[in-house]
Amino acid sequence: MPEAPKKQQKTTDYSVAENNKKTLEFIEDLTKKADDVQKRVLAEILSRNAHVEYLKKHGLNGNIDRETFKKIMPVITYEDIQPDINRIANGDKSHILCSQPISEFLTSSGTSGGERKLMPTINEELERRSFLYSLLMPVMSQFVPGLDQGKGMYFLFIKSESKTPSGLVARPVLTSYYKSSHFKERPYDPYTNYTSPNETILCPDSYQSMYSQMLCGLCQNNEVLRVGAVFASGFIRAIRFLEKHWSLLCNDIRTGTLNSLITDPSVREAVMKILKPDLELADFIEQECSRQSWKGIITRLWPNTKYVDVIVTGTMSQYIPTLDYYSNGLPLVCTMYASSECYFGVNLNPLCKPSEVSYTLIPTMAYFEFLPVHKNNGKTNSVPIPKSLNEKEKQELVDLVDVKLGQDYELVVTTYAGLYRYRVGDVLRVARFKNNAPQFNFICRKNVVLSIDSDKTDEVELQNAVKNAVSHLMPFDAHLTEYTSYADTTTIPGHYVLYWELSVNGSTPIPPSVFEDCCLTIEESLNSVYRQGRVSDKSIGPLEIKIVEAGTFDKLMDYAISLGASINQYKTPRCVKFAPIVELLNSRVVSCYFSPKCPKWTPGHKQWMKID
């Protein structure tokens, strides 16, 4: 993820080493005083918002201490405040949630297991987000020196924004940031020196934006020291774009002219400041892209690249083999943890393995609480936590410094922009501590599940099951490029359906029995409640895998974007329910396979099979 400029620095006195040193000292100080900082943050939020309608309604009466706040204020979900948000969206200018004016709404991605939500924000939150960005490169510089001597090639995009009835803008958080002066008018900083001109990032046409950013990245290939996008899937989409369009891009570089398909005047002007005729570079790119294998294409075309900066935690982990293939095993770096509700924290050990990524929550960003997620038989409970908490469950919430090593928690935030004890929906596991500040592994989002009967399958369990199954494809040099799932209740009994898009490089056809083995392996990998439903209760039918045409998941993303999803925030949904999406997937199915027999299941663990 690209980092924000440090506004206090001037071109004439900018010292990379000095700034990095101060930033790292600041992080050290924050993590030592995490609890004191959290107390101050909560008191500051409550004192400045003491007279807002929401806090008065619950009887906080101006109290700013932590104990009273926890005793009086409820722990909430989006549905609890949706009426208040709708009032703001419809033009009510009362101080409903926040004493400061709501400047815009930030829309959730819509592909993280829920509806699109409107998150209120205020102008000063841009400063807070910029602050978190500013921590990233000083941390990174400890592990990879010299990054200030070159450029970053990041594929960043905006989406067209909408307006609420009151006229407030509603848009994804990254679109908000890229369109802000914090990004567009950033002062000199060697760490925010990108190959993509602002105009290419801010182009609303995704094809023109991608084409022009890729062209600029190729023209400056020897200056690139790091590459990335927001999510791993977005970066892979950029590489596949290059696979399709490299001949057009080479022609532009060879002739020094920009393809006529790029019609945005500001984009053309910005690109032409970079694009010059370069026969040698064009021939080099053509030679590399014409090779049969694209293994290591990133290090071949951008030879000085030190790492790939993308999110590969959570369900994005399935893209790791593809990224390793394209990058020749470059480090995959996850730098930060953020959402539409709030920016949370940073990865202080960015060169760690993707499976070991942990984020240190920065205590100045918001007030953090943690709701324990109870494990059954050593696994995170896949049954969703009830939307409303009783008094006992409320009392289980703990503060940032009081979390326990190895325990899973659901993240709860109180923000400067008017969210109070709001359940984000992310499950985090305490991995270790940095001084007094915990470091968390991102485990999953709650409530993204497949369910036919009493079974509940979360996205982590599904991901692991799919990972186990795809090993059957390896002898045929075939790889799973993308997948999603669907709980088909039109059959009796209902059954799980997985849509698989494959990349097949081998010449030997894959027998149907192999796909049937994949179905069974998935079922064997799922929890005992599911397997009991298959074997004993007969409440779940055989799992089905549907193989879809190449390019199906690109069509799925295009469809989601046409409905308003952000290209930056888009993640392939691991479970689909929306009928038009199911129809789209089914229209591109080329073959279907069912599990040939029931998975193994034996009674004896009924204490782990509580029905919600």
Side-chain angles (χ1 to χ4, degrees):
M1 179 75 77
E3 57 292 330
K6 299 84 177 171
K7 292 189 73 174
Q8 72 274 18
Q9 301 289 355
K10 297 177 182 177
T11 304
T12 53
D13 63 3
Y14 189 92
S15 166
V16 172
E18 184 62 25
N19 181 73
N20 290 352
K21 182 172 178 285
K22 287 180 179 178
T23 299
L24 295 172
E25 289 172 352
F26 184 69
I27 293 172
E28 190 74 15
D29 188 55
L30 274 183
T31 55
K32 285 178 179 176
K33 301 175 180 175
D35 196 45
D36 290 340
V37 173
Q38 282 281 276
K39 284 180 185 175
R40 177 180 59 75
V41 165
L42 180 62
E44 191 173 51
I45 291 171
L46 297 181
S47 60
R48 67 162 64 172
N49 295 309
H51 302 294
V52 303
E53 183 182 309
Y54 183 80
L55 296 182
K56 288 166 70 176
K57 177 176 70 177
H58 288 288
L60 195 59
N61 297 326
N63 286 292
I64 63 171
D65 62 287
R66 193 150 54 179
E67 293 71 24
T68 306
F69 173 73
K70 285 174 173 271
K71 182 179 179 181
I72 290 177
M73 297 304 295
V75 179
I76 63 165
T77 64
Y78 182 78
E79 289 71 25
D80 295 312
I81 55 170
Q82 193 166 13
D84 295 320
I85 287 173
N86 288 341
R87 284 173 57 195
I88 298 168
N90 286 319
D92 191 330
K93 297 193 183 303
S94 309
H95 293 158
I96 299 171
L97 295 173
C98 185
S99 62
Q100 295 186 49
I102 301 301
S103 56
E104 62 182 311
F105 286 107
L106 303 176
T107 56
S108 69
S109 68
T111 60
S112 292
E115 313 155 344
R116 244 176 132 64
K117 299 169 185 175
L118 295 176
M119 294 298 159
T121 192
I122 55 180
N123 281 325
E124 73 172 49
E125 281 296 296
L126 278 166
E127 293 281 351
R128 213 164 270 112
R129 291 177 208 124
S130 295
F131 161 73
L132 194 73
Y133 282 132
S134 73
L135 304 180
L136 304 182
M137 292 312 294
V139 170
M140 197 71 211
S141 67
Q142 300 174 99
F143 302 89
V144 185
L147 292 172
D148 55 317
Q149 302 302 309
K151 295 187 177 185
M153 182 180 72
Y154 287 87
F155 296 98
L156 309 174
F157 305 91
I158 63 163
K159 75 168 289 288
S160 56
E161 55 206 37
S162 57
K163 286 193 175 181
T164 66
S166 66
L168 286 174
V169 174
R171 55 191 177 186
V173 62
L174 292 173
T175 297
S176 170
Y177 178 67
Y178 299 148
K179 286 192 166 187
S180 73
S181 60
H182 290 75
F183 184 80
K184 291 195 298 183
E185 299 168 17
R186 58 192 185 274
Y188 171 76
D189 183 330
Y191 288 142
T192 60
N193 193 4
Y194 305 129
T195 57
S196 298
N198 287 356
E199 292 83 357
T200 64
I201 295 169
L202 296 171
C203 177
D205 184 296
S206 59
Y207 178 89
Q208 293 188 58
S209 180
M210 178 74 85
Y211 189 98
S212 55
Q213 290 190 61
M214 182 63 75
L215 181 60
C216 290
L218 289 168
C219 287
Q220 303 168 84
N221 70 320
N222 285 323
E223 298 177 65
V224 172
L225 299 183
R226 52 200 167 102
V227 300
V230 180
F231 291 112
S233 55
F235 187 76
I236 290 171
R237 185 171 172 84
I239 297 301
R240 289 184 177 157
F241 182 93
L242 178 62
E243 285 188 72
K244 291 181 181 178
H245 301 290
W246 62 263
S247 59
L248 292 176
L249 292 158
C250 281
N251 184 65
D252 289 0
I253 294 170
R254 184 171 285 110
T255 61
T257 58
L258 183 55
N259 194 299
S260 60
L261 291 173
I262 309 305
T263 57
D264 186 304
S266 64
V267 171
R268 292 191 67 87
E269 182 180 353
V271 172
M272 289 310 297
K273 291 177 181 176
I274 296 170
L275 179 63
K276 307 294 182 216
D278 191 332
L279 273 65
E280 185 178 348
L281 178 60
D283 289 343
F284 167 71
I285 295 168
E286 183 175 18
Q287 177 185 330
E288 294 300 328
C289 292
S290 298
R291 288 190 190 181
Q292 187 174 0
S293 171
W294 270 51
K295 187 177 190 305
I297 194 67
I298 295 168
T299 49
R300 281 153 49 189
L301 292 180
W302 296 278
N304 299 314
T305 304
K306 309 296 185 187
Y307 62 88
V308 182
D309 185 351
V310 289
I311 293 172
V312 288
T313 50
T315 57
M316 288 291 125
S317 64
Q318 69 148 328
Y319 297 106
I320 292 171
T322 305
L323 288 169
D324 285 341
Y325 176 82
Y326 284 133
S327 72
N328 250 349
L330 284 174
L332 304 178
V333 172
C334 302
T335 55
M336 63 178 287
Y337 170 39
S339 76
S340 300
E341 293 90 340
C342 179
Y343 277 28
F344 303 119
V346 298
N347 180 1
L348 296 181
N349 183 23
L351 291 188
C352 67
K353 296 176 182 177
S355 60
E356 297 172 359
V357 168
S358 65
Y359 300 103
T360 304
L361 299 200
I362 301 300
T364 56
M365 300 305 294
Y367 176 62
F368 301 115
E369 296 176 90
F370 300 87
L371 178 64
V373 176
H374 299 291
K375 297 179 184 178
N376 284 341
N377 204 19
K379 292 186 177 181
T380 297
N381 189 353
S382 58
V383 177
I385 297 172
K387 286 196 173 181
S388 58
L389 302 182
N390 59 36
E391 280 304 311
K392 180 178 179 296
E393 289 166 328
K394 269 180 63 177
Q395 291 169 15
E396 289 185 339
L397 268 76
V398 297
D399 289 314
L400 180 66
V401 299
D402 295 326
V403 296
K404 304 299 182 187
L405 192 66
Q407 172 68 49
D408 290 359
Y409 296 92
E410 184 181 359
L411 179 59
V412 177
V413 298
T414 296
T415 70
Y416 286 88
L419 299 178
Y420 305 94
R421 308 196 86 185
Y422 179 88
R423 296 170 67 177
V424 174
D426 290 353
V427 176
L428 310 176
R429 179 172 298 155
V430 185
R432 62 189 65 83
F433 284 80
K434 165 69 172 176
N435 297 320
N436 294 316
Q439 298 179 313
F440 295 93
N441 304 131
F442 177 88
I443 301 302
C444 65
R445 283 192 64 84
K446 291 300 293 182
N447 304 334
V448 181
V449 294
L450 282 170
S451 179
I452 296 294
D453 190 53
S454 60
D455 55 298
K456 300 285 191 296
T457 301
D458 66 32
E459 64 181 90
V460 172
E461 191 174 22
L462 181 63
Q463 170 73 18
N464 288 334
V466 169
K467 182 180 177 181
N468 292 339
V470 296
S471 61
H472 293 293
L473 304 177
M474 291 175 64
F476 302 91
D477 199 11
H479 306 277
L480 181 66
T481 58
E482 197 54 279
Y483 78 94
T484 191
S485 63
Y486 172 59
D488 187 350
T489 53
T490 62
T491 59
I492 300 175
H495 69 293
Y496 288 11
V497 177
L498 273 72
Y499 296 92
W500 281 15
E501 182 174 324
L502 302 178
S503 170
V504 182
N505 300 315
S507 56
T508 305
I510 304 173
S513 61
V514 171
F515 290 115
E516 291 173 357
D517 289 341
C518 290
C519 292
L520 184 58
T521 299
I522 291 172
E523 291 197 301
E524 297 277 13
S525 303
L526 296 178
N527 60 70
S528 62
V529 180
Y530 172 88
R531 287 181 282 115
Q532 182 184 9
R534 283 277 287 122
V535 176
S536 178
D537 300 341
K538 306 296 183 185
S539 58
I540 305 170
L543 182 140
E544 180 182 12
I545 290 176
K546 295 184 176 184
I547 307 300
V548 296
E549 298 170 8
T552 294
F553 282 86
D554 285 342
K555 296 281 187 186
L556 184 61
M557 188 181 84
D558 292 341
Y559 179 76
I561 291 170
S562 75
L563 295 181
S566 164
I567 194 169
N568 285 302
Q569 291 178 286
Y570 180 83
K571 301 185 288 289
T572 298
R574 291 294 166 240
C575 177
V576 296
K577 299 176 183 177
F578 190 45
I581 289 178
V582 177
E583 290 169 12
L584 187 156
L585 291 165
N586 283 332
S587 72
R588 298 178 66 88
V589 171
V590 295
S591 56
C592 304
Y593 307 93
F594 287 90
S595 189
K597 60 183 180 181
C598 285
K600 296 184 182 71
W601 175 81
T602 53
H605 294 280
K606 291 183 179 177
Q607 67 269 34
W608 311 124
M609 292 185 249
K610 296 176 183 176
I611 298 172
D612 188 23

